[in-house]
Amino acid sequence: MTPPKQGQRGQVLVLVAVVLLALVGSAALVLLVGSFEWQRNQLQQLADQAALDSSLKIGIGCTAGSANTVITEADNFVATQRTRTGTPGVAAGTCATPYTGTDTFGSLSETIHYPYRAHQQQVEVILTLSLPISFGSTFGATNTTVTTRAVAQQLTGSTAAITATSLSCTGGQFNVAGSVMAQNTITRSGGCAVYAHTRFDAASGTYSDLGNISVYAGGQTWVGGGGLCAAGLSSGSSNALCADGYEVSGHNSIACGTAGTSAYLSAGGAAINPNPCAAGTAPQPVAPVSTLLPPDPNTDAAAIGTLQGSGGSACTPGGVYPNIVVGGTTVGTGLGPVPLKDAGGYYHFKPSCYGYLNIGTLSNGISNVQMGPESGPAKHFLTATLPAASQPNTLLVATVRSGTTPNKYSAPAPWVAAAFVNEATAGRSEIWYYPNNPGGINSVTFTINPATIDSVAQMSEWRNVAAASPLDQTGTFTASTNQLTATISTSAATTAAGELVITSDSYASQAGQAIVPGVGWNNTVNDSANQFSSEYRTDLPAAVASETVTSTVATTWSLTMATFKSAGLASGAVFDPGFYYFNGSGFAGGGGICLNGGTLLAKDVTLEFVNQWGFSSGSCAPGGGGGASCTSPCRFGSTPCSISTCPPNASADPASGGGFTWFAAPCSQAPAGDSSCPGSAWCPVGDRSCWNTLIWAPAGSTGQIALVGAANNHWLLGSVFWPGACTDAVNGTSTIGGSLSCGTLSVSAAAGAGTAVGGNYGISTALVEAVLVE
């Protein structure tokens, strides 16, 4: 082999040097990339942890002070992992823009934004690390940067206002303050609309919930035939599912509601709420609805510790409990002591193991027991009936109407005529009553002459009416010329507030005629075909009672009115703070809590129901008996001051515990103006079994929540966990100010109803945790 020449040897050395330099550079680059990735992973973990930690400091609302608290928490967390070299600071801002915190930790710089994109429940942490590059001068760069970010969401931000396996809407516009999640497709009937509204805090310009609707099943129809969504309004929507945020359906094939038609009805919310069906967005399957429950309160030491009469033990599903008797009347079963009445007339129950409680038997307010159907028309003899035999010691009332006649009706003793009047063109109208009846009565026969004229009647039963001399005031009114309205009044002021005021209306027949009762009055019957209607109230003050009825066609009138005094027994019942357990003992097939026309107040309570229990505004029968016994005011709680300003609105039973508004779980925050959440006397803050947990039932139970009835009112503050069937028929200002989770949920809303479910308060976070959303 010929040896290389001198020049060739030089070239080889240069090549070797170049190759060695490339190898060293490659090795350095490999080491740099590895270091870069390691540093990035460490930095991402720190950003995630700081964001999650600070999200737990997020509360209700947003102010400069609360923003500083959240930002400082994130900054201090980073300081536990890195040595601070700068001065932490929060730049001037607003909740909507947002507030920005900065700090430095050697080569690490930090930026914190709260709220993140005007979302009150979210915080963003951005970390940037400057890294030196070994051999960087060789390549013209001596350092590089690594940037990571994390966005975390507070606990309540992961809690939907309504969660249900099956959700059906049967009438009206059902308004939800927050998001809705359903497993099966949501069904609608009767022109019903469900509207998920954002929870927007105007004072800070931020959102705590964006009002989304998510349906696990595919194929959800958002707007039915002729349906529409009235953007941002609590009325005007029909036959539709409406959302201020997104609407998404399906876990295999994903479909969304149309923006501006049924979805993204809030322009402000749409600006910060990503569309899961936007072009170029990867499919985002809807997660199934969780069937998990918080821990059983009946296994929680704090809850068990409040029980009276149980010997320090938990309650049992099969427990058999003795009767609870108040004033000679059985009001339920249980191990608790006999309730005592306070100065305001309310009976106080203690936390214990119960079978059932019939609150209606303890309410001073006169309430309806049952309403009979309209009887007739019939000639000469007319029999009015009740659906069931009457209870003892109640008042029976019959309103009757016939064609014109100078002759009064006659009835068997001890029925008494309260008021009567005849008008030549409008007919005869009368009111009869049977005081303190012995029970077992389900009919009465009236006689009218001449025997050739038609008569109609309606019969009703009322509790808590004075046993002796119940009739207080009467009044009559006639109009012999056609007029659209007629006003009937008592001849003098009633003796006391809360009397039963009832009318009997007769009028001349007119084509196309319809009769409209006065505002606040309820019909027992309204039959223009037989020229007969009757109205009642039990909530008027002590004053002259008056009602103006209206006909759509001018007519003549013959009206009577009578008022009946209250027995003055009690105002209702109160649950003192603690844990209440109901197993249905003593009431076959039902049990639990039933208002039956009564009023029940509470704060700082957790309720558990097992077996065939029920939480009912109606009777103790399963499903509340359809709410038939809730035709006069039956109330869980009292109108909150945050809904109706106090004064003139006033809390119930102010002589006891500062008064009651919300029917409230253990909690420490309530809407402004309400004192329902002073903290708990027994449930530790954050206890997953009781904190913000109002109602709990185990899986497999067969009872029902039945908030039903024409006069049902409820103001519940706390979260409800009910794996069975729930019915929520909303009247007026009734609301569940927390979250509602049911297996099967049927909802409806009367005209004028406001927010039915949802809000920033009363939300149990027992089933969620702070999460990273970005």
PDB file of all heavy atoms in Angstrom, residues 47 76 141 150 192 406 422 465 472 497 519 623 710 717 763 769:
ATOM      1  N   ALA A  47     -46.669  23.574  37.845  1.00  0.00           N
ATOM      2  CA  ALA A  47     -47.788  24.430  37.420  1.00  0.00           C
ATOM      3  C   ALA A  47     -49.123  23.780  37.761  1.00  0.00           C
ATOM      4  O   ALA A  47     -50.053  24.439  38.250  1.00  0.00           O
ATOM      5  CB  ALA A  47     -47.694  24.709  35.928  1.00  0.00           C
ATOM      6  N   ASN A  76     -47.472  31.234  46.726  1.00  0.00           N
ATOM      7  CA  ASN A  76     -46.852  30.619  47.903  1.00  0.00           C
ATOM      8  C   ASN A  76     -46.591  29.136  47.686  1.00  0.00           C
ATOM      9  O   ASN A  76     -45.625  28.580  48.231  1.00  0.00           O
ATOM     10  CB  ASN A  76     -47.739  30.820  49.126  1.00  0.00           C
ATOM     11  CG  ASN A  76     -47.706  32.249  49.624  1.00  0.00           C
ATOM     12  OD1 ASN A  76     -46.785  33.013  49.307  1.00  0.00           O
ATOM     13  ND2 ASN A  76     -48.704  32.636  50.397  1.00  0.00           N
ATOM     14  N   ALA A 141     -26.116  30.294  20.501  1.00  0.00           N
ATOM     15  CA  ALA A 141     -27.178  30.517  21.492  1.00  0.00           C
ATOM     16  C   ALA A 141     -26.727  29.954  22.822  1.00  0.00           C
ATOM     17  O   ALA A 141     -26.257  28.818  22.895  1.00  0.00           O
ATOM     18  CB  ALA A 141     -28.471  29.856  21.055  1.00  0.00           C
ATOM     19  N   ALA A 150     -51.113  25.730  33.325  1.00  0.00           N
ATOM     20  CA  ALA A 150     -52.178  24.854  33.826  1.00  0.00           C
ATOM     21  C   ALA A 150     -53.360  25.723  34.227  1.00  0.00           C
ATOM     22  O   ALA A 150     -53.187  26.826  34.757  1.00  0.00           O
ATOM     23  CB  ALA A 150     -51.700  24.039  35.025  1.00  0.00           C
ATOM     24  N   CYS A 192     -93.542  22.010  27.176  1.00  0.00           N
ATOM     25  CA  CYS A 192     -92.567  22.338  28.223  1.00  0.00           C
ATOM     26  C   CYS A 192     -91.204  22.700  27.633  1.00  0.00           C
ATOM     27  O   CYS A 192     -90.793  22.179  26.597  1.00  0.00           O
ATOM     28  CB  CYS A 192     -92.424  21.155  29.177  1.00  0.00           C
ATOM     29  SG  CYS A 192     -91.460  21.547  30.648  1.00  0.00           S
ATOM     30  N   PRO A 406    -137.108  31.729  44.790  1.00  0.00           N
ATOM     31  CA  PRO A 406    -137.132  32.428  46.082  1.00  0.00           C
ATOM     32  C   PRO A 406    -136.918  31.473  47.254  1.00  0.00           C
ATOM     33  O   PRO A 406    -136.780  31.921  48.397  1.00  0.00           O
ATOM     34  CB  PRO A 406    -138.531  33.042  46.120  1.00  0.00           C
ATOM     35  CG  PRO A 406    -139.354  32.118  45.285  1.00  0.00           C
ATOM     36  CD  PRO A 406    -138.445  31.633  44.189  1.00  0.00           C
ATOM     37  N   ASN A 422    -130.355  35.276  45.991  1.00  0.00           N
ATOM     38  CA  ASN A 422    -130.984  34.914  44.719  1.00  0.00           C
ATOM     39  C   ASN A 422    -131.084  36.158  43.855  1.00  0.00           C
ATOM     40  O   ASN A 422    -131.356  37.266  44.349  1.00  0.00           O
ATOM     41  CB  ASN A 422    -132.375  34.326  44.950  1.00  0.00           C
ATOM     42  CG  ASN A 422    -133.042  33.920  43.644  1.00  0.00           C
ATOM     43  OD1 ASN A 422    -132.590  32.972  43.001  1.00  0.00           O
ATOM     44  ND2 ASN A 422    -134.101  34.614  43.257  1.00  0.00           N
ATOM     45  N   VAL A 465    -109.947  24.154  61.709  1.00  0.00           N
ATOM     46  CA  VAL A 465    -110.996  25.168  61.798  1.00  0.00           C
ATOM     47  C   VAL A 465    -111.624  25.083  63.189  1.00  0.00           C
ATOM     48  O   VAL A 465    -111.726  23.987  63.770  1.00  0.00           O
ATOM     49  CB  VAL A 465    -112.061  24.957  60.710  1.00  0.00           C
ATOM     50  CG1 VAL A 465    -113.143  26.017  60.793  1.00  0.00           C
ATOM     51  CG2 VAL A 465    -111.407  24.974  59.328  1.00  0.00           C
ATOM     52  N   ASP A 472    -117.548  33.179  60.839  1.00  0.00           N
ATOM     53  CA  ASP A 472    -117.169  34.515  61.284  1.00  0.00           C
ATOM     54  C   ASP A 472    -117.938  35.589  60.514  1.00  0.00           C
ATOM     55  O   ASP A 472    -118.838  36.234  61.058  1.00  0.00           O
ATOM     56  CB  ASP A 472    -115.670  34.707  61.119  1.00  0.00           C
ATOM     57  CG  ASP A 472    -115.177  36.028  61.712  1.00  0.00           C
ATOM     58  OD1 ASP A 472    -115.926  36.650  62.482  1.00  0.00           O
ATOM     59  OD2 ASP A 472    -114.033  36.429  61.406  1.00  0.00           O
ATOM     60  N   ALA A 497    -106.322  36.896  61.039  1.00  0.00           N
ATOM     61  CA  ALA A 497    -105.704  36.548  59.769  1.00  0.00           C
ATOM     62  C   ALA A 497    -105.786  35.036  59.564  1.00  0.00           C
ATOM     63  O   ALA A 497    -105.910  34.261  60.517  1.00  0.00           O
ATOM     64  CB  ALA A 497    -104.251  36.996  59.754  1.00  0.00           C
ATOM     65  N   VAL A 519    -107.049  37.498  41.595  1.00  0.00           N
ATOM     66  CA  VAL A 519    -105.640  37.166  41.798  1.00  0.00           C
ATOM     67  C   VAL A 519    -105.440  36.617  43.211  1.00  0.00           C
ATOM     68  O   VAL A 519    -105.880  37.217  44.198  1.00  0.00           O
ATOM     69  CB  VAL A 519    -104.756  38.402  41.571  1.00  0.00           C
ATOM     70  CG1 VAL A 519    -103.301  38.089  41.885  1.00  0.00           C
ATOM     71  CG2 VAL A 519    -104.903  38.893  40.137  1.00  0.00           C
ATOM     72  N   GLY A 623     -95.674   9.064  46.417  1.00  0.00           N
ATOM     73  CA  GLY A 623     -95.889  10.133  45.446  1.00  0.00           C
ATOM     74  C   GLY A 623     -96.657  11.309  45.994  1.00  0.00           C
ATOM     75  O   GLY A 623     -97.066  12.193  45.245  1.00  0.00           O
ATOM     76  N   ALA A 710    -101.181  22.278  43.881  1.00  0.00           N
ATOM     77  CA  ALA A 710    -101.424  23.614  43.343  1.00  0.00           C
ATOM     78  C   ALA A 710    -100.852  24.712  44.223  1.00  0.00           C
ATOM     79  O   ALA A 710    -100.543  25.800  43.739  1.00  0.00           O
ATOM     80  CB  ALA A 710    -102.927  23.824  43.162  1.00  0.00           C
ATOM     81  N   LEU A 717     -82.353  24.810  50.573  1.00  0.00           N
ATOM     82  CA  LEU A 717     -80.972  25.234  50.382  1.00  0.00           C
ATOM     83  C   LEU A 717     -80.059  24.072  50.772  1.00  0.00           C
ATOM     84  O   LEU A 717     -79.919  23.739  51.943  1.00  0.00           O
ATOM     85  CB  LEU A 717     -80.661  26.468  51.230  1.00  0.00           C
ATOM     86  CG  LEU A 717     -79.255  27.056  51.047  1.00  0.00           C
ATOM     87  CD1 LEU A 717     -79.009  27.471  49.602  1.00  0.00           C
ATOM     88  CD2 LEU A 717     -79.045  28.247  51.977  1.00  0.00           C
ATOM     89  N   ILE A 763     -74.213  23.990  47.495  1.00  0.00           N
ATOM     90  CA  ILE A 763     -73.726  22.939  46.601  1.00  0.00           C
ATOM     91  C   ILE A 763     -72.807  21.998  47.364  1.00  0.00           C
ATOM     92  O   ILE A 763     -71.760  22.397  47.878  1.00  0.00           O
ATOM     93  CB  ILE A 763     -72.979  23.539  45.400  1.00  0.00           C
ATOM     94  CG1 ILE A 763     -73.901  24.468  44.608  1.00  0.00           C
ATOM     95  CG2 ILE A 763     -72.436  22.439  44.504  1.00  0.00           C
ATOM     96  CD1 ILE A 763     -73.201  25.206  43.489  1.00  0.00           C
ATOM     97  N   GLU A 769     -63.804  16.782  42.811  1.00  0.00           N
ATOM     98  CA  GLU A 769     -62.540  17.311  43.294  1.00  0.00           C
ATOM     99  C   GLU A 769     -62.085  18.408  42.347  1.00  0.00           C
ATOM    100  O   GLU A 769     -62.619  18.554  41.236  1.00  0.00           O
ATOM    101  CB  GLU A 769     -61.487  16.210  43.367  1.00  0.00           C
ATOM    102  CG  GLU A 769     -61.236  15.528  42.038  1.00  0.00           C
ATOM    103  CD  GLU A 769     -60.282  14.352  42.157  1.00  0.00           C
ATOM    104  OE1 GLU A 769     -60.040  13.882  43.281  1.00  0.00           O
ATOM    105  OE2 GLU A 769     -59.787  13.919  41.113  1.00  0.00           O
TER     106      GLU A 769
END
